[in-house]
Structure formats: structure tokens, C-alpha cells
Amino acid sequence: MTSGAGPDSRSREPTYRIEDLARLSGATVRTIRAYQDRGLLPRPERRGRANVYADVHLARLRQIADLLDRGYGLSSIKELLDAWDAGRGLGGVLGLVAEVDGPWTDEEAVRVSRAELEQRFGGSTDAAAVAEAVELGVLEPVPGDPDSFLVPSPQELAVAVELHASGVPLSAISSHLRELRVQVEHIASRFLEFTTEHVFARYLEGPHRPTDADATEAASLVRRLRPLAQQTVDAELARAMRLFANRSLRRHLGEAEPARSAFSSRSVAVPETTMRAVEALVGTANAADFIALAAERELRARALDALMPRGGPPADLDEQG
């Protein structure tokens, strides 16, 4: 503090040198100057040959640190702080931030030991498998305890355990998760674009920043709409799994019984070359139905031929033709 540790004689408020401000805020002197250059921190007051900081600077540094911990970048933080300085307040905005940054699942992280992991995976969790799980975020190291891990999603770990117990290698499980994550992130991105366009655009667009009331209302909408993405994905995944599981089963049954007709419970043999040609034409999943329908069409054509008079069609049809 300037003047020893006492308050400033004019403002009766504490004043600080930049070194004091750094010590109290936890930021470095270099960081404080960088914040000033970017407009995140007000310039200090000049008193004689010294720059003097006040409690307002300390409070601002603590606000910046809190927003950084929430995952915000410096550009976004500047916009939020500008809103604060313009008198719009940060209450609603930070409420919206808290709603978006809050947990999107009811799962709670659990702690698991390395020995427990080995037991659950039948003793096959080698160092490479653990390292890959850490890279994917399925496991998180516990600082100071190399034999323990934090599991952010116990459900995800339980799925891996069940798959491995069913004979799926750990490397295949990791590869599948990587592929699945890309697809799920695409779905999340599309859902966010959809809701932003049709729901949140009125809060985020326009010549003016959202007011405190706007941000509070938007936070309420996030709370209401948050479960919709998962509910939609759950319903569509169930539909798609049923569709493709049925197709897969029919395809494998079709390989064992090449031409089981949809209209009969009897099986017939079809030459392999014919079957391959049909599969190339309509796909493996549709081959059995195609053969059954083609046979039915042939039967109907022959039935029609049998109804025609011998010698060809009637004379009046020839004249019309």
C-alpha cells in the first residue's frame, strides 16, 4: 500500500502499488498490465510519480479470475464487464452462465482405485489402456495419489466394463468411444444451433446487449430446454437401434436361409450367383423380399395369362391397339 499500510488521505480508501495488488489478487504484475492494455482493468490513478490502485481494481481482478474459472475467454469477459460498467448488471448474465456451465447430467463423479479398476476389468487394465482412458476423460488422475482416479461418468465406465466382459477388447472400446464422441458432439452442435435460431436469437442478437431481465429469462429457458436434447436422442436412438437390429438379424438369417419367402414358412435354395446378383441390385437386407415379390409377380402374371382366351387377345382389342 502507498503511505505504508494506511488509507489514502484524500479518498479514505486503501490504495495499492501494483506489487501489492498482485499479491492480494493472486495475479502477476505482468498479467495486471496485460489486463490494462486489453481494457479489462481500469487504469490506475497517477499520483506524483507513482501509479495507485484501489479496491475497485482488486474487485475487478477477482471478477476476472472467477470468470476465467468458469471457462470464459478474455474477449467474452470484456463484454461481460462492459455490460457491468454500463449499468446493466452481471446478476442475470452470471445466472445464465451458471445455468449453462452447471451439470447437464444427474451423475456424480466417483473415486476408484487402480486395484478396483483391474478387478472390474478382469486384470487386463494395462498402462496403455489406463493412459488412453485418461486421454479420453473417462478417468481423471487424482493429484498426489497415483493409485486413484476420478470417474466423471460412472455410467460410461460401467458400459465399458460390460462390453469388455462380453469379449470386446479395451482398444476397440476406446476406438468406438472416439467415433461415438464425434457423432454426439455433432448432434449437440446442431441442437444448439437449432435452439439458438428459434429460441435464443432474440436474447443474443440485435443492436443492444441483453438486459439483466433478458439474461434471467434466458437462464430459465436453458433450464427448461436442457433435458429435451437428451430425451430426443434417447427416443431416436431407441428407434434406430430397433430398425438396424432387425435389419441385421434379417440379414444374418438370410445368409443362413437364402430365400425365405415373406409369404411362406418354407425355405428354398437359390444359386449363389443369383443371390449375389440380387444383393448387388437391391442390397443384402432386401434380397429375400425382392426374390419373394419377384416370384409372386411371376405367379400373378401366369394367372393372368391363364385367364386370357387361347389365340391371343380379343379382336376388338387388336383393333384398338
Side-chain angles (χ1 to χ4, degrees), residues 14-228:
T15 56
Y16 311 99
R17 297 171 300 176
I18 192 169
E19 293 81 4
D20 298 323
L21 189 65
R23 176 176 52 81
L24 292 170
S25 66
T28 65
V29 170
R30 182 178 180 181
T31 296
I32 293 173
R33 287 175 175 152
Y35 287 167
Q36 289 176 180
D37 293 340
R38 299 190 64 154
L40 290 164
L41 192 68
R43 291 286 178 180
E45 181 182 348
R46 187 75 176 177
R47 293 186 186 173
R49 300 177 62 181
N51 289 326
V52 176
Y53 297 85
D55 280 342
V56 65
H57 296 91
L58 182 59
R60 176 58 56 89
L61 286 171
R62 288 171 175 166
Q63 286 176 337
I64 294 172
D66 179 62
L67 291 170
L68 285 171
D69 287 342
R70 294 171 183 262
Y72 274 76
L74 292 179
S75 297
S76 298
I77 291 174
K78 186 177 187 309
E79 293 180 358
L80 292 172
L81 295 177
D82 286 345
W84 173 278
D85 292 338
R88 290 195 290 271
L90 277 180
V93 174
L94 292 181
L96 176 58
V97 171
E99 197 64 49
V100 173
D101 283 351
W104 285 67
T105 175
D106 295 331
E107 282 194 279
E108 295 184 3
V110 298
R111 192 163 173 166
V112 62
S113 67
R114 189 180 296 270
E116 184 180 355
L117 274 177
E118 292 180 355
Q119 181 181 7
R120 294 181 69 178
F121 284 94
S124 60
T125 53
D126 56 23
V130 171
E132 193 161 20
V134 170
E135 181 186 350
L136 287 167
V138 177
L139 300 175
E140 294 180 359
V142 176
D145 186 356
D147 291 324
S148 295
F149 300 92
L150 197 66
V151 182
S153 174
Q155 290 182 4
E156 193 168 52
L157 182 63
V159 170
V161 170
E162 191 67 29
L163 288 173
H164 185 260
S166 300
V168 183
L170 289 176
S171 58
I173 296 174
S174 298
S175 298
H176 177 69
L177 178 57
R178 291 181 190 277
E179 180 180 352
L180 180 65
R181 186 167 290 178
V182 171
Q183 301 297 326
V184 171
E185 287 177 355
H186 174 71
I187 293 172
S189 175
R190 290 292 298 119
F191 190 83
L192 181 60
E193 291 172 3
F194 171 77
T195 52
T196 298
E197 177 183 358
H198 296 285
V199 179
F200 295 106
R202 60 181 179 271
Y203 301 105
L204 304 176
E205 298 177 356
H208 305 292
R209 290 288 173 187
T211 64
D212 201 53
D214 289 337
T216 300
E217 184 178 353
S220 176
L221 281 171
V222 170
R223 193 159 46 248
R224 287 162 47 197
L225 296 178
R226 177 185 292 176
L228 297 187

